[in-house]
Amino acid sequence: MRVVVTQPAKWHSDGDRNFDAVLRDAERSRIRFGPDDVVVLPELAGAELGDRQYGRRVEGLARSLGSWVVGGSHHCASGSGTVNRGVVADPGGSVVADYEKLNPYGDERAAGVLGGSRPRAVEVGGRQLLVLLCADFWYFDSLTAESGPDLVIVPAFSVTQRPSPAIARSLWRHMAVSRAYEVTAFVAISDWAHPSAYRGRTGCGVAGFADPNPATSRGLFRGLGNRRLAAFEPDFAALTDLRDNRRDRNFAAVPSRPVA
């Protein structure tokens, strides 16, 4: 399995333009997409597209690439109000799972976006992928709501209140490394490139991949820099070895407890 992290150049309030840009970036890349790949879009890739149109765009992208697609999200009108919601499509273009943002952030709350009902794990190639939308990644309870993810996927739209994105970008990278080691899982983050903006807040461009046990410190977090997308191949055999080693040392994510 490879996970393809994306970082489109600019966010548009027109979701169709965002999907067009991702497909164009994919076609221009040197990546040969296949049915074992998981392509991750940033948060609000679908912007304000209606539920049906958004679903069709995710399905169409999956069919075009012949890969799994975690479709970022869109603002979806539900019976009780608007939620931040996304879907996962398989390589044949069928939606197999959905997920919602539990913790609307900042301007989303001011705009009346409600907290959703669930994170969601989906199985791909025998591996558990947990999808957390942006701010939910910062709540540890979100990661423990589903047991044992092998890969944590974060569609993000990082924003900062500061003039520069540097501090927010650094915080995201440190959090990704910390989360990867805490839960003994890989972390993949897709985001919008700096200086994309949402409601006047500047995006930080935090896309990248965290490895809980790399060969060198440079592998703890690999950012995309100026790239629009990049493919990473999680070493799940090494992940299993790390989990066994931590369990043997009583240093697992959930330590064993002495029997009373």
Side-chain angles (χ1 to χ4, degrees):
M1 176 196 298
R2 294 182 304 175
V3 57
V4 180
V5 172
T6 61
Q7 187 174 248
K10 183 178 181 180
W11 180 77
H12 299 280
S13 58
D14 178 352
D16 283 320
R17 293 183 67 182
N18 296 327
F19 276 94
D20 291 344
V22 170
L23 181 57
R24 187 165 55 249
D25 289 340
E27 291 174 341
R28 291 174 177 173
S29 76
R30 297 182 179 180
I31 299 172
R32 294 187 176 182
F33 295 88
D36 295 326
D37 295 332
V38 179
V39 180
V40 183
L41 274 58
E43 182 184 25
L44 292 182
E48 308 297 327
L49 288 177
D51 199 43
R52 181 175 298 180
Q53 179 64 8
Y54 164 76
R56 287 176 176 170
R57 290 308 308 250
V58 178
E59 292 168 348
L61 183 61
R63 283 193 300 271
S64 295
L65 300 179
S67 303
W68 294 81
V69 171
V70 179
S73 69
H74 73 129
H75 281 153
C76 171
S78 68
S80 56
T82 299
V83 296
N84 194 336
R85 177 178 179 269
V87 299
V88 180
D90 67 17
S94 297
V95 169
V96 297
D98 63 354
Y99 48 88
E100 295 175 352
K101 189 174 185 178
L102 302 178
N103 301 282
Y105 176 80
D107 293 309
E108 273 193 314
R109 295 183 62 191
V113 177
L114 304 176
S117 60
R118 59 195 178 280
R120 179 60 62 91
V122 59
E123 184 174 316
V124 176
R127 298 295 174 178
Q128 290 295 313
L129 281 56
L130 176 63
V131 184
L132 299 176
L133 277 172
C134 202
D136 289 348
F137 183 58
W138 292 76
Y139 293 82
F140 188 73
D141 288 350
S142 297
L143 282 90
T144 57
E146 298 281 349
S147 60
D150 300 300
L151 172 62
V152 179
I153 288 177
V154 187
F157 197 151
S158 65
V159 293
T160 181
Q161 301 179 66
R162 299 172 182 265
S164 165
I167 290 180
R169 190 180 292 158
S170 182
L171 284 170
W172 269 92
R173 291 175 176 177
H174 281 80
M175 181 61 72
V177 172
S178 178
R179 289 284 187 255
Y181 198 74
E182 282 176 322
V183 300
T184 325
F186 300 101
V187 174
I189 304 171
S190 288
D191 192 19
W192 299 95
H194 175 75
S196 291
Y198 177 73
R199 292 182 177 268
R201 303 286 188 191
T202 303
C204 303
V206 302
F209 183 80
D211 187 328
N213 192 32
T216 69
S217 61
R218 296 183 68 177
L220 285 168
F221 186 88
R222 287 175 282 172
L224 265 63
N226 293 325
R227 291 176 292 173
R228 297 290 169 247
L229 68 171
F232 300 94
E233 187 169 355
D235 187 341
F236 291 114
L239 185 69
T240 298
D241 290 344
L242 176 62
R243 288 173 171 173
D244 291 343
N245 179 272
R246 294 187 69 181
R247 193 176 298 110
D248 290 344
R249 292 181 290 127
N250 197 32
F251 199 56
V254 181
S256 59
R257 293 181 174 84
V259 177

